Amino acid sequence: MKTFWIVTLIILIVLVVALVVLYFVGKRLQKKQDAQAEQMEAMKQTVSMLIIDKKTLPLKQSGLPQMVIDQAPKLMRRSKVPVVKAKVGPRIMTFIADNKVFDLIPVKKEVKAVISGIYIMDVKGIRSQLETPQKKKGFFGRIKAKVTGK
């Protein structure tokens, strides 16, 4: 019985140490993120662009410049990013969209976008309002709709 309490105490101590370490690491990462957001706000500009295509692709296949891919963290290189191909003036460029904005971006239409470098932060329609796509129903939402007959 004594060994049980010793093992439990050791596990609790390890968990407390892990939580303290995670707290301080999270605090440091939050400061970095705030600094980056502040920098992006300072560099933002509004541009009129014609959206050609939008996809969610792995970073290596996105068509972004090699310098951007090299600067990305190793874990992010395998993850998929929302990529938008757009014509800005006479040039066709590849952008990375914010996850919140990606669903709002219409294909084959002209929009005013707030960009910071190659990052699309916000989108507004030029001639009309942007259509907000309907949110997909989850499993239980579909079952509830079938039962209620709606």
Side-chain angles (χ1 to χ4, degrees):
M1 194 67 173
K2 191 175 182 181
T3 58
F4 170 75
W5 290 111
I6 292 174
V7 170
T8 306
L9 184 65
I10 291 173
I11 291 173
L12 284 175
I13 290 172
V14 168
L15 285 175
V16 167
V17 168
L19 286 175
V20 168
V21 168
L22 284 174
Y23 172 76
F24 286 112
V25 169
K27 207 171 183 183
R28 186 180 307 144
L29 289 175
Q30 184 67 36
K31 284 181 186 177
K32 275 186 182 179
Q33 186 178 14
D34 291 342
Q36 286 176 347
E38 192 175 297
Q39 203 174 30
M40 286 180 71
E41 282 293 321
M43 297 291 293
K44 74 179 182 181
Q45 56 187 348
T46 304
V47 176
S48 177
M49 60 174 59
L50 174 69
I51 306 299
I52 297 171
D53 189 24
K54 69 175 189 173
K55 293 180 183 173
T56 306
L57 296 170
L59 195 61
K60 289 183 180 179
Q61 298 172 2
S62 63
L64 292 168
Q66 187 62 38
M67 188 174 84
V68 173
I69 295 171
D70 292 340
Q71 287 179 354
K74 292 209 184 234
L75 290 175
M76 187 167 168
R77 291 181 195 170
R78 292 181 184 256
S79 67
K80 291 187 175 186
V81 291
V83 177
V84 176
K85 261 196 173 162
K87 184 174 182 182
V88 181
R91 294 176 52 193
I92 295 176
M93 299 178 68
T94 305
F95 294 96
I96 297 176
D98 191 5
N99 286 329
K100 296 177 275 187
V101 176
F102 185 70
D103 293 332
L104 296 174
I105 298 174
V107 180
K108 307 255 195 279
K109 290 191 179 174
E110 196 169 351
V111 295
K112 279 211 182 278
V114 177
I115 63 170
S116 177
I118 61 165
Y119 193 73
I120 298 176
M121 299 168 65
D122 193 20
V123 176
K124 296 178 186 105
I126 289 183
R127 292 173 183 80
S128 63
Q129 293 291 335
L130 295 177
E131 298 173 12
T132 55
Q134 288 186 347
K135 200 172 186 182
K136 290 184 178 180
K137 291 183 181 179
F139 178 71
F140 291 111
R142 289 192 304 261
I143 291 176
K144 185 177 177 184
K146 283 182 183 179
V147 170
T148 59
K150 291 182 180 178

